[in-house]
Amino acid sequence: MGIRELCWGILFAVLVNPSESDWLNCGNITSCNCKWSSGKKTASCVSAGLTKLPHLATDIQVLDLHGNTLLELQEDAFAKIELLNLQRLNLSLTNLKYLHQNAFRELRILIELDLSRNYLTELSPDTFKGNERLRLLVLNDNPLSKLVAEQFPTLQHLKKLELSRCRLRKVHPFAFVNLRALETVHVHQNLLSYLHHDTFNLPLLKTLMLSDNPWFCDCRLREFHKWFVRSNLGNEEVFCTGPEKKAHMSWLDISEGDMVCPPSALSSPSVIRTETGADINFGCFVRGDPKPTVTWSFRHSEIVNKTYSDSEVFIYKHSFEHFDEYIDDFINKSSQWFNVSISNVTSDLAGEWRCNAKSPAGEANAYLTLFLPKARTATARSAPDYTKFFIAIGAVFAMAFTGFLAACFCWKIKRRRVPPSRSFTDQEKKLLDTSLAVSCDRTSAEMGSSYGFEMFDRSMSMESEDTQRCLEPVQITIEAPSGPFPPPPAEFAIPAPYGNIFISVQVTGHNKEYPDLLSGGSTLPRRSRTCFLKSPYDNMGPRVTATGSSTWSLPGAKGDKNLKESIATPMSKFSTEFTAL
């Protein structure tokens, strides 16, 4: 019998020791330390550089993952690695940013959970569903900012909840309604200014830490302040941050009557434009606690329900009788509207209206401007009449067409045909007479500088043809010794009514006598100022030929004695020069 018992003991030790050594080596994870602690199998993987949950023995009861980088926990994260016997779980400072609402669902016997010092911005109301045995929940140092209604599921064993330094600004009155076993709540060092008096109305609550929040001690905090002071839930001292007169005052030193809200007033709309005889409505939104007295005034006179200049004015108040302080903004439960209704408005009521709200806590005013523009007489619009426009356009086109025809007619009359230039032989030059004529409108003093000469073809002696020559210019070139001909004088650049030919002649020096062409032309008859008047001489009297001799314009013509004597005037001698004929 003794030998048999010894054999069974050795066999049992062999079978038990390997399993015992399996959980102690922490699944060969060298950065983790597995041991017995307080009678529980504990795996400590603090700052082990893990980025995911380690695969450990399934009978581990305590797991400490503080200081790792997990970032997120997906659905049934612990069930997948079969760590279902966890009672304590430390996930603080693991850089968690996302937490699936079913990440802890299978941890049925979890008692303590630490999620502090992470980056969780929100929690689903079902995050801890299934963890009914949870007693301690630590959420410190997560930027949650707010807690919604029924933020936590029913956790009937939860005794302590820590929410310090979570940047909480708003907590719904029903956020903790399912945590009826709570005894201690930490919400200190957040950004809370107001809380509803039912927020922590929990039957077993013994400690509530509220310090280091910017509490604004006015009417909106009055009820919660009264509840907290009477509940005696802690030994810490809580101070006010505002209003300015109550800053740094302890809650224990402030009475209920000191926590008031000065009135505020806001008109809606601020400007009304309407027409005479219209029906209008406008109002004033007033808040304040205690409730202020509200009046409407116009031109420094208080308005009451009566008739003003054929206009009926009615003032009425609208309060929020069905105000739900748990669903709506319970802080504004003192708000009310004071409305004005005017029928058949007239210009006598146009101007600035004032809404005045006054209470023991202060006074506020709101202003509204009623504007009635001057009546304007509308002018009936008719279709535009384009008759005058079309008449004017037709007249313009008619005038333009008439002017075009007149221009064509004038151009046809005044058009001049210039025959081509040709040269004359010596024989033809002898048959060509030149007539010296003084230019129209020139004085004897002006003739000393330049003269105009007109050349006429001797073969054309008819008066009708003479008139035609005045209108049609003829270009004649006279051969002469080599050398340039001078240009005509400047005065001949402008056409004259009598002139049609301008010739430059180069006269070479010799001993023969020539007529004095520069002397005023006293021996030659003057032509009339217009080409169309008949000359007193046949073919304009005596001429000076191209050879320099004087003769009558017609061979064999007889001149009177005075003309002969005048021709016998002394001839001048001059050197080579240019003379314009």
PDB file of all heavy atoms in Angstrom, residues 146-180:
ATOM      1  N   LYS A 146     -18.596  65.426 -22.222  1.00  0.00           N
ATOM      2  CA  LYS A 146     -19.995  65.401 -21.788  1.00  0.00           C
ATOM      3  C   LYS A 146     -20.440  63.965 -21.497  1.00  0.00           C
ATOM      4  O   LYS A 146     -19.855  62.996 -21.998  1.00  0.00           O
ATOM      5  CB  LYS A 146     -20.918  66.018 -22.831  1.00  0.00           C
ATOM      6  CG  LYS A 146     -21.011  65.215 -24.119  1.00  0.00           C
ATOM      7  CD  LYS A 146     -21.982  65.856 -25.095  1.00  0.00           C
ATOM      8  CE  LYS A 146     -22.097  65.026 -26.385  1.00  0.00           C
ATOM      9  NZ  LYS A 146     -23.059  65.617 -27.335  1.00  0.00           N
ATOM     10  N   LEU A 147     -21.507  63.879 -20.708  1.00  0.00           N
ATOM     11  CA  LEU A 147     -22.144  62.598 -20.402  1.00  0.00           C
ATOM     12  C   LEU A 147     -23.611  62.713 -20.753  1.00  0.00           C
ATOM     13  O   LEU A 147     -24.295  63.639 -20.313  1.00  0.00           O
ATOM     14  CB  LEU A 147     -21.980  62.248 -18.918  1.00  0.00           C
ATOM     15  CG  LEU A 147     -20.541  62.098 -18.397  1.00  0.00           C
ATOM     16  CD1 LEU A 147     -20.549  61.803 -16.903  1.00  0.00           C
ATOM     17  CD2 LEU A 147     -19.789  61.007 -19.147  1.00  0.00           C
ATOM     18  N   VAL A 148     -24.099  61.780 -21.531  1.00  0.00           N
ATOM     19  CA  VAL A 148     -25.477  61.832 -22.015  1.00  0.00           C
ATOM     20  C   VAL A 148     -26.387  61.093 -21.052  1.00  0.00           C
ATOM     21  O   VAL A 148     -25.943  60.505 -20.055  1.00  0.00           O
ATOM     22  CB  VAL A 148     -25.572  61.226 -23.426  1.00  0.00           C
ATOM     23  CG1 VAL A 148     -24.722  62.003 -24.409  1.00  0.00           C
ATOM     24  CG2 VAL A 148     -25.165  59.749 -23.404  1.00  0.00           C
ATOM     25  N   ALA A 149     -27.675  61.130 -21.350  1.00  0.00           N
ATOM     26  CA  ALA A 149     -28.649  60.420 -20.514  1.00  0.00           C
ATOM     27  C   ALA A 149     -28.371  58.918 -20.545  1.00  0.00           C
ATOM     28  O   ALA A 149     -28.075  58.353 -21.603  1.00  0.00           O
ATOM     29  CB  ALA A 149     -30.059  60.710 -21.001  1.00  0.00           C
ATOM     30  N   GLU A 150     -28.437  58.305 -19.354  1.00  0.00           N
ATOM     31  CA  GLU A 150     -28.165  56.873 -19.190  1.00  0.00           C
ATOM     32  C   GLU A 150     -26.827  56.499 -19.832  1.00  0.00           C
ATOM     33  O   GLU A 150     -26.723  55.573 -20.634  1.00  0.00           O
ATOM     34  CB  GLU A 150     -29.303  56.039 -19.774  1.00  0.00           C
ATOM     35  CG  GLU A 150     -30.644  56.296 -19.113  1.00  0.00           C
ATOM     36  CD  GLU A 150     -31.735  55.348 -19.575  1.00  0.00           C
ATOM     37  OE1 GLU A 150     -31.571  54.130 -19.341  1.00  0.00           O
ATOM     38  OE2 GLU A 150     -32.713  55.835 -20.175  1.00  0.00           O
ATOM     39  N   GLN A 151     -25.831  57.275 -19.466  1.00  0.00           N
ATOM     40  CA  GLN A 151     -24.499  57.041 -20.009  1.00  0.00           C
ATOM     41  C   GLN A 151     -23.973  55.641 -19.664  1.00  0.00           C
ATOM     42  O   GLN A 151     -23.218  55.049 -20.457  1.00  0.00           O
ATOM     43  CB  GLN A 151     -23.540  58.103 -19.459  1.00  0.00           C
ATOM     44  CG  GLN A 151     -22.098  57.979 -19.916  1.00  0.00           C
ATOM     45  CD  GLN A 151     -21.931  58.269 -21.398  1.00  0.00           C
ATOM     46  OE1 GLN A 151     -22.066  59.400 -21.844  1.00  0.00           O
ATOM     47  NE2 GLN A 151     -21.669  57.223 -22.179  1.00  0.00           N
ATOM     48  N   PHE A 152     -24.380  55.103 -18.554  1.00  0.00           N
ATOM     49  CA  PHE A 152     -23.902  53.790 -18.114  1.00  0.00           C
ATOM     50  C   PHE A 152     -25.076  52.813 -18.040  1.00  0.00           C
ATOM     51  O   PHE A 152     -26.190  53.190 -17.662  1.00  0.00           O
ATOM     52  CB  PHE A 152     -23.227  53.903 -16.752  1.00  0.00           C
ATOM     53  CG  PHE A 152     -22.084  54.892 -16.734  1.00  0.00           C
ATOM     54  CD1 PHE A 152     -22.296  56.209 -16.338  1.00  0.00           C
ATOM     55  CD2 PHE A 152     -20.815  54.496 -17.114  1.00  0.00           C
ATOM     56  CE1 PHE A 152     -21.244  57.106 -16.313  1.00  0.00           C
ATOM     57  CE2 PHE A 152     -19.761  55.400 -17.092  1.00  0.00           C
ATOM     58  CZ  PHE A 152     -19.982  56.714 -16.700  1.00  0.00           C
ATOM     59  N   PRO A 153     -24.814  51.544 -18.390  1.00  0.00           N
ATOM     60  CA  PRO A 153     -25.883  50.533 -18.265  1.00  0.00           C
ATOM     61  C   PRO A 153     -26.114  50.195 -16.783  1.00  0.00           C
ATOM     62  O   PRO A 153     -25.462  50.729 -15.893  1.00  0.00           O
ATOM     63  CB  PRO A 153     -25.319  49.338 -19.034  1.00  0.00           C
ATOM     64  CG  PRO A 153     -23.842  49.472 -18.885  1.00  0.00           C
ATOM     65  CD  PRO A 153     -23.556  50.948 -18.887  1.00  0.00           C
ATOM     66  N   THR A 154     -27.007  49.317 -16.540  1.00  0.00           N
ATOM     67  CA  THR A 154     -27.299  48.924 -15.153  1.00  0.00           C
ATOM     68  C   THR A 154     -26.125  48.128 -14.577  1.00  0.00           C
ATOM     69  O   THR A 154     -25.814  47.020 -15.050  1.00  0.00           O
ATOM     70  CB  THR A 154     -28.571  48.078 -15.093  1.00  0.00           C
ATOM     71  OG1 THR A 154     -29.659  48.847 -15.616  1.00  0.00           O
ATOM     72  CG2 THR A 154     -28.879  47.647 -13.666  1.00  0.00           C
ATOM     73  N   LEU A 155     -25.457  48.744 -13.630  1.00  0.00           N
ATOM     74  CA  LEU A 155     -24.329  48.105 -12.936  1.00  0.00           C
ATOM     75  C   LEU A 155     -24.674  48.140 -11.445  1.00  0.00           C
ATOM     76  O   LEU A 155     -24.305  49.070 -10.724  1.00  0.00           O
ATOM     77  CB  LEU A 155     -23.025  48.843 -13.226  1.00  0.00           C
ATOM     78  CG  LEU A 155     -22.590  48.912 -14.710  1.00  0.00           C
ATOM     79  CD1 LEU A 155     -21.375  49.802 -14.876  1.00  0.00           C
ATOM     80  CD2 LEU A 155     -22.335  47.519 -15.262  1.00  0.00           C
ATOM     81  N   GLN A 156     -25.356  47.143 -11.018  1.00  0.00           N
ATOM     82  CA  GLN A 156     -25.920  47.154  -9.669  1.00  0.00           C
ATOM     83  C   GLN A 156     -24.890  46.949  -8.568  1.00  0.00           C
ATOM     84  O   GLN A 156     -25.203  47.123  -7.386  1.00  0.00           O
ATOM     85  CB  GLN A 156     -26.989  46.071  -9.550  1.00  0.00           C
ATOM     86  CG  GLN A 156     -26.526  44.679  -9.918  1.00  0.00           C
ATOM     87  CD  GLN A 156     -27.645  43.669  -9.923  1.00  0.00           C
ATOM     88  OE1 GLN A 156     -28.762  43.965  -9.447  1.00  0.00           O
ATOM     89  NE2 GLN A 156     -27.399  42.492 -10.474  1.00  0.00           N
ATOM     90  N   HIS A 157     -23.622  46.625  -8.937  1.00  0.00           N
ATOM     91  CA  HIS A 157     -22.592  46.446  -7.923  1.00  0.00           C
ATOM     92  C   HIS A 157     -21.521  47.545  -7.958  1.00  0.00           C
ATOM     93  O   HIS A 157     -20.577  47.500  -7.166  1.00  0.00           O
ATOM     94  CB  HIS A 157     -21.914  45.074  -8.084  1.00  0.00           C
ATOM     95  CG  HIS A 157     -22.840  43.925  -7.911  1.00  0.00           C
ATOM     96  ND1 HIS A 157     -23.378  43.559  -6.677  1.00  0.00           N
ATOM     97  CD2 HIS A 157     -23.361  43.041  -8.817  1.00  0.00           C
ATOM     98  CE1 HIS A 157     -24.147  42.520  -6.821  1.00  0.00           C
ATOM     99  NE2 HIS A 157     -24.171  42.175  -8.111  1.00  0.00           N
ATOM    100  N   LEU A 158     -21.644  48.488  -8.862  1.00  0.00           N
ATOM    101  CA  LEU A 158     -20.634  49.532  -8.986  1.00  0.00           C
ATOM    102  C   LEU A 158     -20.704  50.473  -7.790  1.00  0.00           C
ATOM    103  O   LEU A 158     -21.727  51.111  -7.550  1.00  0.00           O
ATOM    104  CB  LEU A 158     -20.827  50.317 -10.292  1.00  0.00           C
ATOM    105  CG  LEU A 158     -19.732  51.338 -10.629  1.00  0.00           C
ATOM    106  CD1 LEU A 158     -18.392  50.641 -10.856  1.00  0.00           C
ATOM    107  CD2 LEU A 158     -20.123  52.163 -11.856  1.00  0.00           C
ATOM    108  N   LYS A 159     -19.570  50.571  -7.066  1.00  0.00           N
ATOM    109  CA  LYS A 159     -19.517  51.379  -5.858  1.00  0.00           C
ATOM    110  C   LYS A 159     -18.790  52.706  -6.070  1.00  0.00           C
ATOM    111  O   LYS A 159     -19.133  53.704  -5.445  1.00  0.00           O
ATOM    112  CB  LYS A 159     -18.808  50.605  -4.740  1.00  0.00           C
ATOM    113  CG  LYS A 159     -19.454  49.277  -4.360  1.00  0.00           C
ATOM    114  CD  LYS A 159     -20.823  49.491  -3.741  1.00  0.00           C
ATOM    115  CE  LYS A 159     -21.438  48.170  -3.289  1.00  0.00           C
ATOM    116  NZ  LYS A 159     -22.782  48.351  -2.688  1.00  0.00           N
ATOM    117  N   LYS A 160     -17.779  52.672  -6.950  1.00  0.00           N
ATOM    118  CA  LYS A 160     -16.960  53.879  -7.105  1.00  0.00           C
ATOM    119  C   LYS A 160     -16.766  54.201  -8.582  1.00  0.00           C
ATOM    120  O   LYS A 160     -16.423  53.305  -9.387  1.00  0.00           O
ATOM    121  CB  LYS A 160     -15.611  53.668  -6.421  1.00  0.00           C
ATOM    122  CG  LYS A 160     -14.740  54.901  -6.375  1.00  0.00           C
ATOM    123  CD  LYS A 160     -13.458  54.638  -5.581  1.00  0.00           C
ATOM    124  CE  LYS A 160     -12.599  55.892  -5.482  1.00  0.00           C
ATOM    125  NZ  LYS A 160     -11.374  55.672  -4.670  1.00  0.00           N
ATOM    126  N   LEU A 161     -16.953  55.464  -8.897  1.00  0.00           N
ATOM    127  CA  LEU A 161     -16.785  55.948 -10.279  1.00  0.00           C
ATOM    128  C   LEU A 161     -15.913  57.197 -10.254  1.00  0.00           C
ATOM    129  O   LEU A 161     -16.217  58.168  -9.558  1.00  0.00           O
ATOM    130  CB  LEU A 161     -18.146  56.272 -10.910  1.00  0.00           C
ATOM    131  CG  LEU A 161     -18.125  56.877 -12.317  1.00  0.00           C
ATOM    132  CD1 LEU A 161     -17.476  55.923 -13.313  1.00  0.00           C
ATOM    133  CD2 LEU A 161     -19.536  57.245 -12.753  1.00  0.00           C
ATOM    134  N   GLU A 162     -14.814  57.162 -11.012  1.00  0.00           N
ATOM    135  CA  GLU A 162     -13.889  58.294 -11.051  1.00  0.00           C
ATOM    136  C   GLU A 162     -13.911  58.924 -12.454  1.00  0.00           C
ATOM    137  O   GLU A 162     -13.636  58.243 -13.461  1.00  0.00           O
ATOM    138  CB  GLU A 162     -12.478  57.833 -10.693  1.00  0.00           C
ATOM    139  CG  GLU A 162     -12.357  57.314  -9.266  1.00  0.00           C
ATOM    140  CD  GLU A 162     -10.931  56.981  -8.877  1.00  0.00           C
ATOM    141  OE1 GLU A 162     -10.000  57.374  -9.636  1.00  0.00           O
ATOM    142  OE2 GLU A 162     -10.733  56.330  -7.838  1.00  0.00           O
ATOM    143  N   LEU A 163     -14.243  60.216 -12.504  1.00  0.00           N
ATOM    144  CA  LEU A 163     -14.318  60.987 -13.757  1.00  0.00           C
ATOM    145  C   LEU A 163     -13.579  62.323 -13.633  1.00  0.00           C
ATOM    146  O   LEU A 163     -14.008  63.334 -14.183  1.00  0.00           O
ATOM    147  CB  LEU A 163     -15.785  61.235 -14.122  1.00  0.00           C
ATOM    148  CG  LEU A 163     -16.580  60.022 -14.602  1.00  0.00           C
ATOM    149  CD1 LEU A 163     -18.074  60.296 -14.534  1.00  0.00           C
ATOM    150  CD2 LEU A 163     -16.167  59.622 -16.010  1.00  0.00           C
ATOM    151  N   SER A 164     -12.475  62.321 -12.947  1.00  0.00           N
ATOM    152  CA  SER A 164     -11.708  63.545 -12.745  1.00  0.00           C
ATOM    153  C   SER A 164     -10.888  63.881 -14.000  1.00  0.00           C
ATOM    154  O   SER A 164     -10.427  62.991 -14.730  1.00  0.00           O
ATOM    155  CB  SER A 164     -10.756  63.376 -11.550  1.00  0.00           C
ATOM    156  OG  SER A 164     -11.474  63.086 -10.375  1.00  0.00           O
ATOM    157  N   ARG A 165     -10.731  65.197 -14.222  1.00  0.00           N
ATOM    158  CA  ARG A 165      -9.917  65.705 -15.326  1.00  0.00           C
ATOM    159  C   ARG A 165     -10.355  65.130 -16.688  1.00  0.00           C
ATOM    160  O   ARG A 165      -9.538  64.790 -17.537  1.00  0.00           O
ATOM    161  CB  ARG A 165      -8.433  65.410 -15.079  1.00  0.00           C
ATOM    162  CG  ARG A 165      -7.874  66.105 -13.851  1.00  0.00           C
ATOM    163  CD  ARG A 165      -6.439  65.719 -13.579  1.00  0.00           C
ATOM    164  NE  ARG A 165      -6.320  64.262 -13.332  1.00  0.00           N
ATOM    165  CZ  ARG A 165      -6.542  63.680 -12.138  1.00  0.00           C
ATOM    166  NH1 ARG A 165      -6.888  64.448 -11.094  1.00  0.00           N
ATOM    167  NH2 ARG A 165      -6.400  62.386 -11.989  1.00  0.00           N
ATOM    168  N   CYS A 166     -11.631  65.062 -16.906  1.00  0.00           N
ATOM    169  CA  CYS A 166     -12.196  64.566 -18.175  1.00  0.00           C
ATOM    170  C   CYS A 166     -12.750  65.696 -19.046  1.00  0.00           C
ATOM    171  O   CYS A 166     -13.483  65.421 -20.013  1.00  0.00           O
ATOM    172  CB  CYS A 166     -13.297  63.537 -17.891  1.00  0.00           C
ATOM    173  SG  CYS A 166     -12.675  61.969 -17.272  1.00  0.00           S
ATOM    174  N   ARG A 167     -12.466  66.928 -18.683  1.00  0.00           N
ATOM    175  CA  ARG A 167     -12.922  68.105 -19.436  1.00  0.00           C
ATOM    176  C   ARG A 167     -14.444  68.141 -19.576  1.00  0.00           C
ATOM    177  O   ARG A 167     -14.982  68.613 -20.598  1.00  0.00           O
ATOM    178  CB  ARG A 167     -12.269  68.153 -20.821  1.00  0.00           C
ATOM    179  CG  ARG A 167     -10.748  68.083 -20.798  1.00  0.00           C
ATOM    180  CD  ARG A 167     -10.179  68.129 -22.198  1.00  0.00           C
ATOM    181  NE  ARG A 167      -8.739  67.844 -22.188  1.00  0.00           N
ATOM    182  CZ  ARG A 167      -7.995  67.765 -23.286  1.00  0.00           C
ATOM    183  NH1 ARG A 167      -8.557  67.937 -24.486  1.00  0.00           N
ATOM    184  NH2 ARG A 167      -6.718  67.488 -23.206  1.00  0.00           N
ATOM    185  N   LEU A 168     -15.105  67.663 -18.609  1.00  0.00           N
ATOM    186  CA  LEU A 168     -16.572  67.634 -18.645  1.00  0.00           C
ATOM    187  C   LEU A 168     -17.135  69.051 -18.554  1.00  0.00           C
ATOM    188  O   LEU A 168     -16.797  69.808 -17.645  1.00  0.00           O
ATOM    189  CB  LEU A 168     -17.116  66.782 -17.505  1.00  0.00           C
ATOM    190  CG  LEU A 168     -16.856  65.276 -17.593  1.00  0.00           C
ATOM    191  CD1 LEU A 168     -17.359  64.581 -16.330  1.00  0.00           C
ATOM    192  CD2 LEU A 168     -17.523  64.679 -18.831  1.00  0.00           C
ATOM    193  N   ARG A 169     -18.018  69.379 -19.493  1.00  0.00           N
ATOM    194  CA  ARG A 169     -18.715  70.665 -19.488  1.00  0.00           C
ATOM    195  C   ARG A 169     -20.211  70.490 -19.218  1.00  0.00           C
ATOM    196  O   ARG A 169     -20.846  71.409 -18.726  1.00  0.00           O
ATOM    197  CB  ARG A 169     -18.533  71.379 -20.834  1.00  0.00           C
ATOM    198  CG  ARG A 169     -17.105  71.829 -21.115  1.00  0.00           C
ATOM    199  CD  ARG A 169     -17.007  72.526 -22.454  1.00  0.00           C
ATOM    200  NE  ARG A 169     -15.664  72.997 -22.725  1.00  0.00           N
ATOM    201  CZ  ARG A 169     -15.174  74.171 -22.325  1.00  0.00           C
ATOM    202  NH1 ARG A 169     -15.951  74.997 -21.633  1.00  0.00           N
ATOM    203  NH2 ARG A 169     -13.935  74.517 -22.614  1.00  0.00           N
ATOM    204  N   LYS A 170     -20.714  69.351 -19.582  1.00  0.00           N
ATOM    205  CA  LYS A 170     -22.149  69.124 -19.434  1.00  0.00           C
ATOM    206  C   LYS A 170     -22.407  67.684 -19.000  1.00  0.00           C
ATOM    207  O   LYS A 170     -21.855  66.745 -19.582  1.00  0.00           O
ATOM    208  CB  LYS A 170     -22.871  69.412 -20.756  1.00  0.00           C
ATOM    209  CG  LYS A 170     -24.375  69.344 -20.666  1.00  0.00           C
ATOM    210  CD  LYS A 170     -25.017  69.740 -21.994  1.00  0.00           C
ATOM    211  CE  LYS A 170     -26.526  69.711 -21.911  1.00  0.00           C
ATOM    212  NZ  LYS A 170     -27.163  70.083 -23.187  1.00  0.00           N
ATOM    213  N   VAL A 171     -23.254  67.529 -17.990  1.00  0.00           N
ATOM    214  CA  VAL A 171     -23.655  66.218 -17.507  1.00  0.00           C
ATOM    215  C   VAL A 171     -25.176  66.188 -17.476  1.00  0.00           C
ATOM    216  O   VAL A 171     -25.817  67.024 -16.811  1.00  0.00           O
ATOM    217  CB  VAL A 171     -23.080  65.929 -16.105  1.00  0.00           C
ATOM    218  CG1 VAL A 171     -23.581  64.576 -15.603  1.00  0.00           C
ATOM    219  CG2 VAL A 171     -21.552  65.956 -16.137  1.00  0.00           C
ATOM    220  N   HIS A 172     -25.748  65.270 -18.206  1.00  0.00           N
ATOM    221  CA  HIS A 172     -27.202  65.167 -18.234  1.00  0.00           C
ATOM    222  C   HIS A 172     -27.738  64.737 -16.867  1.00  0.00           C
ATOM    223  O   HIS A 172     -27.095  63.937 -16.165  1.00  0.00           O
ATOM    224  CB  HIS A 172     -27.633  64.156 -19.297  1.00  0.00           C
ATOM    225  CG  HIS A 172     -29.069  64.255 -19.648  1.00  0.00           C
ATOM    226  ND1 HIS A 172     -30.063  63.631 -18.903  1.00  0.00           N
ATOM    227  CD2 HIS A 172     -29.711  64.903 -20.653  1.00  0.00           C
ATOM    228  CE1 HIS A 172     -31.243  63.886 -19.445  1.00  0.00           C
ATOM    229  NE2 HIS A 172     -31.060  64.651 -20.516  1.00  0.00           N
ATOM    230  N   PRO A 173     -28.893  65.273 -16.468  1.00  0.00           N
ATOM    231  CA  PRO A 173     -29.459  64.902 -15.160  1.00  0.00           C
ATOM    232  C   PRO A 173     -29.670  63.404 -14.976  1.00  0.00           C
ATOM    233  O   PRO A 173     -29.673  62.910 -13.847  1.00  0.00           O
ATOM    234  CB  PRO A 173     -30.789  65.661 -15.129  1.00  0.00           C
ATOM    235  CG  PRO A 173     -30.596  66.802 -16.051  1.00  0.00           C
ATOM    236  CD  PRO A 173     -29.692  66.322 -17.136  1.00  0.00           C
ATOM    237  N   PHE A 174     -29.815  62.658 -16.089  1.00  0.00           N
ATOM    238  CA  PHE A 174     -30.057  61.222 -15.988  1.00  0.00           C
ATOM    239  C   PHE A 174     -28.818  60.398 -16.355  1.00  0.00           C
ATOM    240  O   PHE A 174     -28.927  59.218 -16.651  1.00  0.00           O
ATOM    241  CB  PHE A 174     -31.210  60.802 -16.901  1.00  0.00           C
ATOM    242  CG  PHE A 174     -32.541  61.373 -16.498  1.00  0.00           C
ATOM    243  CD1 PHE A 174     -33.581  61.464 -17.410  1.00  0.00           C
ATOM    244  CD2 PHE A 174     -32.766  61.809 -15.199  1.00  0.00           C
ATOM    245  CE1 PHE A 174     -34.808  61.973 -17.036  1.00  0.00           C
ATOM    246  CE2 PHE A 174     -33.990  62.327 -14.819  1.00  0.00           C
ATOM    247  CZ  PHE A 174     -35.019  62.411 -15.738  1.00  0.00           C
ATOM    248  N   ALA A 175     -27.650  60.997 -16.313  1.00  0.00           N
ATOM    249  CA  ALA A 175     -26.446  60.272 -16.717  1.00  0.00           C
ATOM    250  C   ALA A 175     -26.167  59.077 -15.820  1.00  0.00           C
ATOM    251  O   ALA A 175     -25.723  58.018 -16.292  1.00  0.00           O
ATOM    252  CB  ALA A 175     -25.256  61.219 -16.733  1.00  0.00           C
ATOM    253  N   PHE A 176     -26.413  59.193 -14.499  1.00  0.00           N
ATOM    254  CA  PHE A 176     -26.068  58.126 -13.548  1.00  0.00           C
ATOM    255  C   PHE A 176     -27.297  57.392 -13.014  1.00  0.00           C
ATOM    256  O   PHE A 176     -27.233  56.733 -11.970  1.00  0.00           O
ATOM    257  CB  PHE A 176     -25.287  58.718 -12.378  1.00  0.00           C
ATOM    258  CG  PHE A 176     -24.127  59.587 -12.793  1.00  0.00           C
ATOM    259  CD1 PHE A 176     -24.196  60.975 -12.659  1.00  0.00           C
ATOM    260  CD2 PHE A 176     -22.991  59.015 -13.325  1.00  0.00           C
ATOM    261  CE1 PHE A 176     -23.130  61.767 -13.025  1.00  0.00           C
ATOM    262  CE2 PHE A 176     -21.914  59.809 -13.707  1.00  0.00           C
ATOM    263  CZ  PHE A 176     -21.984  61.190 -13.563  1.00  0.00           C
ATOM    264  N   VAL A 177     -28.390  57.490 -13.713  1.00  0.00           N
ATOM    265  CA  VAL A 177     -29.641  56.955 -13.198  1.00  0.00           C
ATOM    266  C   VAL A 177     -29.607  55.437 -13.015  1.00  0.00           C
ATOM    267  O   VAL A 177     -30.333  54.891 -12.171  1.00  0.00           O
ATOM    268  CB  VAL A 177     -30.802  57.383 -14.123  1.00  0.00           C
ATOM    269  CG1 VAL A 177     -30.722  56.641 -15.458  1.00  0.00           C
ATOM    270  CG2 VAL A 177     -32.136  57.142 -13.451  1.00  0.00           C
ATOM    271  N   ASN A 178     -28.764  54.721 -13.764  1.00  0.00           N
ATOM    272  CA  ASN A 178     -28.690  53.262 -13.664  1.00  0.00           C
ATOM    273  C   ASN A 178     -27.639  52.782 -12.670  1.00  0.00           C
ATOM    274  O   ASN A 178     -27.445  51.561 -12.523  1.00  0.00           O
ATOM    275  CB  ASN A 178     -28.394  52.644 -15.041  1.00  0.00           C
ATOM    276  CG  ASN A 178     -29.523  52.849 -16.023  1.00  0.00           C
ATOM    277  OD1 ASN A 178     -30.707  52.839 -15.643  1.00  0.00           O
ATOM    278  ND2 ASN A 178     -29.180  53.051 -17.286  1.00  0.00           N
ATOM    279  N   LEU A 179     -26.967  53.706 -12.007  1.00  0.00           N
ATOM    280  CA  LEU A 179     -25.916  53.335 -11.048  1.00  0.00           C
ATOM    281  C   LEU A 179     -26.437  53.581  -9.631  1.00  0.00           C
ATOM    282  O   LEU A 179     -25.940  54.433  -8.892  1.00  0.00           O
ATOM    283  CB  LEU A 179     -24.652  54.150 -11.320  1.00  0.00           C
ATOM    284  CG  LEU A 179     -24.099  54.089 -12.759  1.00  0.00           C
ATOM    285  CD1 LEU A 179     -22.869  54.967 -12.899  1.00  0.00           C
ATOM    286  CD2 LEU A 179     -23.812  52.652 -13.177  1.00  0.00           C
ATOM    287  N   ARG A 180     -27.390  52.794  -9.232  1.00  0.00           N
ATOM    288  CA  ARG A 180     -28.056  53.022  -7.947  1.00  0.00           C
ATOM    289  C   ARG A 180     -27.197  52.616  -6.761  1.00  0.00           C
ATOM    290  O   ARG A 180     -27.491  53.024  -5.625  1.00  0.00           O
ATOM    291  CB  ARG A 180     -29.369  52.235  -7.903  1.00  0.00           C
ATOM    292  CG  ARG A 180     -30.299  52.476  -9.086  1.00  0.00           C
ATOM    293  CD  ARG A 180     -30.709  53.920  -9.222  1.00  0.00           C
ATOM    294  NE  ARG A 180     -31.547  54.348  -8.100  1.00  0.00           N
ATOM    295  CZ  ARG A 180     -31.969  55.591  -7.905  1.00  0.00           C
ATOM    296  NH1 ARG A 180     -31.583  56.556  -8.767  1.00  0.00           N
ATOM    297  NH2 ARG A 180     -32.735  55.889  -6.872  1.00  0.00           N
TER     298      ARG A 180
END
